[in-house]
Amino acid sequence: SISFHCTGIGIPDSRKCNDDTIFTDMGTVLDTVGSGNSIPMSMALHPSHHLTFAVGRKNGSIDIYSSASSSQGGQGSNSGQHSIEDDVYGQLRRCHRLAQHAGAPVRALCYTPDGSLLLSGCDEGHIYIHDTSSFHKNESIRMVAAILNAHRGYILSICALPDEKRFVTSSADKTVKVWNVGMPNAGPVHTFDTGHDNMVWDVAGAVDGRKCASCGDDGLIQIYSCEE
């Protein structure tokens, strides 16, 4: 599955980054990014930096791409905060590569709603949490937590809840789990043995963070309470 950011802002052609017009091409491929050396398995768009996104790959690496202006913290702005206009005219480039998953395909990837953390899950059942709050200032991205063997199978989906305190994962082990971002190694807040016959492919959280839903190989959609 793939998700577009709700602002509907498109990615411009970085080869035309010196063009002073706003790109209004509809229904066309605007740009191609990346080397293609390893298959992308997941993707997450940053919630506030409009041309910043993370790509999880089959070889276990996570690449973070950004426009030149976004990764430099919007240096063209006197206030130090970059605007949509800064992003539109920046040239896309890879600014970080994360290698903690080391050979295990990264199928699950998402940012927290404020963009300060990047959550990732891989085929070995591990979850890693990275601090991305200052990456656009050309500072390094730090891993701040690891949940090893969070699931007994592939982690197929990860979703941060709107309260920015919890996130939800789904897995090939037929379970859905709710985690506390601040205490990841305390174990899951909730574990749902879903009743799905096989892999739980995707999970999504409600806007109020009180419920989540999953879908599986059996064609069913199930809804759960996330309240503590």
Side-chain angles (χ1 to χ4, degrees), residues 110-205:
C110 80
Y111 284 98
T112 52
D114 64 356
S116 63
L117 297 174
L118 178 65
L119 315 173
S120 60
C122 71
D123 281 8
E124 291 182 341
H126 305 328
I127 297 170
Y128 290 102
I129 303 175
H130 287 86
D131 181 355
T132 56
S133 59
S134 60
F135 83 93
H136 58 283
K137 299 177 183 177
N138 289 325
E139 297 180 11
S140 61
I141 293 178
R142 298 181 300 111
M143 186 186 75
V144 294
I147 311 174
L148 303 182
N149 303 311
H151 283 274
R152 298 188 305 274
Y154 299 170
I155 296 177
L156 300 174
S157 179
I158 190 165
C159 171
L161 295 178
D163 61 10
E164 300 179 0
K165 298 178 181 179
R166 296 170 298 155
F167 64 94
V168 187
T169 55
S170 68
S171 171
D173 66 7
K174 307 179 185 179
T175 66
V176 168
K177 296 185 179 184
V178 181
W179 306 86
N180 187 315
V181 174
M183 298 186 294
N185 292 310
V189 177
H190 299 294
T191 298
F192 301 108
D193 293 319
T194 61
H196 286 297
D197 292 340
N198 207 321
M199 297 184 179
V200 185
W201 283 106
D202 203 6
V203 67

Side-chain angles (χ1 to χ4, degrees), residues 10-89:
I11 298 177
D13 187 339
S14 60
R15 292 161 293 188
K16 300 177 182 177
C17 62
N18 293 322
D19 190 340
D20 289 333
T21 60
I22 297 293
F23 296 100
T24 57
D25 300 334
M26 297 293 197
T28 62
V29 176
L30 298 178
D31 205 352
T32 301
V33 183
S35 63
N37 291 332
S38 181
I39 298 171
M41 305 290 287
S42 55
M43 185 174 183
L45 299 182
H46 196 284
S48 57
H49 300 291
H50 301 294
L51 282 183
T52 297
F53 54 92
V55 177
R57 297 187 180 276
K58 188 175 182 179
N59 65 4
S61 65
I62 299 173
D63 291 331
I64 298 180
Y65 295 90
S66 186
S67 66
S69 58
S70 177
S71 62
Q72 293 168 6
Q75 293 176 356
S77 170
N78 293 332
S79 66
Q81 297 182 355
H82 69 275
S83 65
I84 293 174
E85 288 75 15
D86 293 328
D87 283 340
V88 166
Y89 298 118

Side-chain angles (χ1 to χ4, degrees), residues 40 98 214:
L98 310 177
S214 68

